[in-house]
Amino acid sequence: MNVRAEEPGMNSAVLPPRLVIAGTHSGVGKTTIATGLMAAYRQGGVTVASAKVGPDFIDPGYHSLATGMAPRNLDAWLCGAQSMAPLAARAGREAELLIVEGVMGLYDGSVDGAPSSTADIACLLDAPVVLVVDGSAMSASIAALVRGFRDHRRELNLAGVILNRVSSDHHRTLLVEALDSIGVDVFGTVGKDESLTWRDRHLGLIPVEENTSEVRASIERLGATIAQSCDLHRLEALARGASVQSVPQLPEPARVGEARVAVATGAAFSFQYRDNLEALTAAGAEIVAFDPLSDEQLPGNIDALVLGGGFPEVFVSRLAENRGLLADVRSQITAGLITWAECGGLLWLADSLDERPMAAVVSTRAVMSKRLRLGYRTATALCDNPLMKAGEIVKGHEFHYSMTEPGGDALLLSSRFADRQEGFATTTLLATYLHQHLGNRPDLAERFLRQCVQRRMLRENR
């Protein structure tokens, strides 16, 4: 009988049965395998939750369709190593099984060496790891490759592998025999199948919001394929063998008052951490969704505007044609609407994006380029804004091909190899390329909501 992990007390939670799906490198097929496992278990009647290692927004969208549950991220660099087990317990609190998809290769992480890799997360969760290996161009050599991954870090529990892109039964036999010679279990073999290849774009997979019905059908087919290709019973037993642990719950933001916060959603703005929305809600926000592609005005009686990332460049014509909404946004922000915009949100607030008119709230021009800016950043506020006071420091991540001219001077972004100023801010607005995760920063949610509550009180007392 399957039993869900229950919270033993108000200040603690239990890590559920759990499994980390890792890869030898990016592109090996771990998103396909992980998402397929989630779908297969759900189709089999198991309540499964998901989490993604790192700051990625797109993969969790696929996970959410496969599981029917809210997507989550586990990022030790952004949130701190001590937050990983509590965040994982939060992700799996309503599930019988938690499947965690890794990032890049098993041991790849931040360039500064801080805990952030899939291996780091697996050790912090005391979770078994199943390594996805692309077997398409190997036979006996796979033993040397997997032996290196298994033995590189002794405290890591690399429990076995799933072989991907296996060309034939003969090929499978050679791979399994090679792995058997070093005592490594094979939990499944997946053949070459172009129908299992996910669609790519310049930032990785295409967000599910752009074609949810098609992606949902693909995930259903993927789940059925994985159920036939992998030993679900052995994998579930492996997950249930993970140690039962009670972990502290992360502190939630204090409730500072009530405010209505409009949050951009839809195909153009799908990058928003679930933990951020929950942090704002805990602080007193009523979240009101709107779609910049179709809504002609902002929701009524709002106190703040939150604009996450996404792909506004893909929908630039439609965004530019929605002149009524752009004018409303410009009018309300100019009048003091509390605003937090990240990456795609910054582009929407610019004067223009690839020479198409945007909201013209921020005096900058945005263009798409071939240069990728990618990585973790330590950010110092250079002036007061709705999230931070001047001099305060936060951690964040940026991942974009666009650039703005001018670039702004709201934040000092520091990384191992360079420092630069970027972003735009006033006491009521922060618009920057930096993505922040509030999973372990209740103070930021409290400060943002406090500005919203103060604005509401001022409006009501006029």
Side-chain angles (χ1 to χ4, degrees), residues 39 45 55 80 83 100 127 152 199 222 236 277 296 328 374 408 415-416 445 450 461:
S83 301
V100 178
H152 181 69
R199 302 165 299 164
L222 175 61
E236 185 175 353
L277 298 180
E296 298 179 356
D328 188 29
L374 165 67
S415 64
R416 179 181 176 184
R450 197 169 288 115
N461 290 334

Side-chain angles (χ1 to χ4, degrees), residues 222-301:
L222 175 61
T225 298
I226 293 300
Q228 295 176 348
S229 305
C230 297
D231 194 330
L232 298 185
H233 294 295
R234 288 179 66 209
L235 287 167
E236 185 175 353
L238 179 65
R240 293 189 179 281
S243 62
V244 177
Q245 294 186 27
S246 179
V247 298
Q249 295 197 53
L250 293 176
E252 288 195 346
R255 188 174 181 85
V256 299
E258 296 181 355
R260 279 171 57 87
V261 178
V263 175
T265 59
F269 294 94
S270 57
F271 295 0
Q272 191 67 252
Y273 291 127
R274 178 75 177 191
D275 289 283
N276 286 10
L277 298 180
E278 291 181 355
L280 294 176
T281 299
E286 176 193 355
I287 302 297
V288 186
F290 76 102
D291 188 343
L293 289 175
S294 58
D295 290 328
E296 298 179 356
Q297 289 185 314
L298 290 172
N301 195 31

Side-chain angles (χ1 to χ4, degrees), residues 30-49:
K30 61 182 177 292
T31 299
T32 298
I33 301 299
T35 306
L37 285 171
M38 295 169 197
Y41 280 118
R42 186 185 183 193
Q43 291 167 7
V46 177
T47 305
V48 59

Side-chain angles (χ1 to χ4, degrees), residues 431-452:
T432 171
Y433 274 116
L434 193 72
H435 290 287
Q436 296 184 60
H437 191 293
L438 305 186
N440 196 31
R441 289 299 304 266
D443 57 312
L444 299 181
E446 291 168 7
R447 176 175 171 80
F448 186 79
L449 257 292
R450 197 169 288 115
Q451 314 302 310
C452 301

Side-chain angles (χ1 to χ4, degrees), residues 31-315:
T31 299
T32 298
I33 301 299
T35 306
L37 285 171
M38 295 169 197
Y41 280 118
R42 186 185 183 193
Q43 291 167 7
V46 177
T47 305
V48 59
S50 67
K52 170 69 179 180
V53 176
D56 179 54
F57 290 98
I58 298 177
D59 291 353
Y62 287 83
H63 298 170
S64 182
L65 281 186
T67 65
M69 301 182 71
R72 301 284 181 174
N73 291 73
L74 299 175
D75 195 309
W77 199 95
L78 290 180
C79 299
Q82 75 284 355
S83 301
M84 293 302 95
L87 284 172
R90 179 186 292 176
R93 62 190 168 194
E94 297 178 355
E96 302 165 44
L97 176 65
L98 173 66
I99 295 180
V100 178
E101 182 194 340
V103 60
M104 300 184 291
L106 175 59
Y107 295 105
D108 298 322
S110 65
V111 296
D112 63 5
S116 57
S117 70
T118 302
D120 291 328
I121 302 302
C123 289
L124 289 167
L125 302 183
D126 193 18
V129 175
V130 174
L131 186 69
V132 177
V133 182
D134 183 348
S136 60
M138 285 189 293
S139 58
S141 294
I142 196 171
L145 175 71
V146 174
R147 187 200 303 270
F149 275 88
R150 181 192 63 187
D151 297 346
H152 181 69
R153 189 166 170 178
R154 289 293 184 174
E155 71 273 26
L156 182 78
N157 177 14
L158 200 161
V161 303
I162 292 176
L163 302 173
N164 194 25
R165 299 170 187 146
V166 179
S167 59
S168 66
D169 289 341
H170 174 69
H171 186 206
R172 176 189 183 280
T173 298
L174 294 176
L175 295 172
V176 171
E177 287 178 349
L179 292 169
D180 185 60
S181 72
I182 60 170
V184 171
D185 287 335
V186 177
F187 290 99
T189 57
V190 181
K192 293 181 179 180
D193 187 345
E194 291 301 320
S195 68
L196 302 183
T197 301
W198 301 86
R199 302 165 299 164
D200 287 328
R201 186 183 283 155
H202 54 268
L203 294 185
L205 299 177
I206 295 177
V208 298
E209 287 81 4
E210 294 186 27
N211 199 339
T212 301
S213 59
E214 178 184 328
V215 174
R216 193 186 302 277
S218 296
I219 289 175
E220 289 292 313
R221 293 193 298 271
L222 175 61
T225 298
I226 293 300
Q228 295 176 348
S229 305
C230 297
D231 194 330
L232 298 185
H233 294 295
R234 288 179 66 209
L235 287 167
E236 185 175 353
L238 179 65
R240 293 189 179 281
S243 62
V244 177
Q245 294 186 27
S246 179
V247 298
Q249 295 197 53
L250 293 176
E252 288 195 346
R255 188 174 181 85
V256 299
E258 296 181 355
R260 279 171 57 87
V261 178
V263 175
T265 59
F269 294 94
S270 57
F271 295 0
Q272 191 67 252
Y273 291 127
R274 178 75 177 191
D275 289 283
N276 286 10
L277 298 180
E278 291 181 355
L280 294 176
T281 299
E286 176 193 355
I287 302 297
V288 186
F290 76 102
D291 188 343
L293 289 175
S294 58
D295 290 328
E296 298 179 356
Q297 289 185 314
L298 290 172
N301 195 31
I302 59 172
D303 308 293
L305 178 62
V306 173
L307 306 170
F311 289 109
E313 66 272 18
V314 176
F315 303 94

Side-chain angles (χ1 to χ4, degrees), residues 354-369:
D354 282 344
E355 300 184 352
R356 300 300 302 270
M358 293 289 104
V361 170
V362 176
S363 297
T364 190
R365 299 174 304 281
V367 295
M368 298 304 298
S369 72

Side-chain angles (χ1 to χ4, degrees), residues 333-349:
I333 294 179
T334 301
L337 182 67
I338 308 299
T339 303
W340 175 18
E342 294 183 336
C343 201
L346 165 64
L347 305 186
W348 194 52
L349 296 184

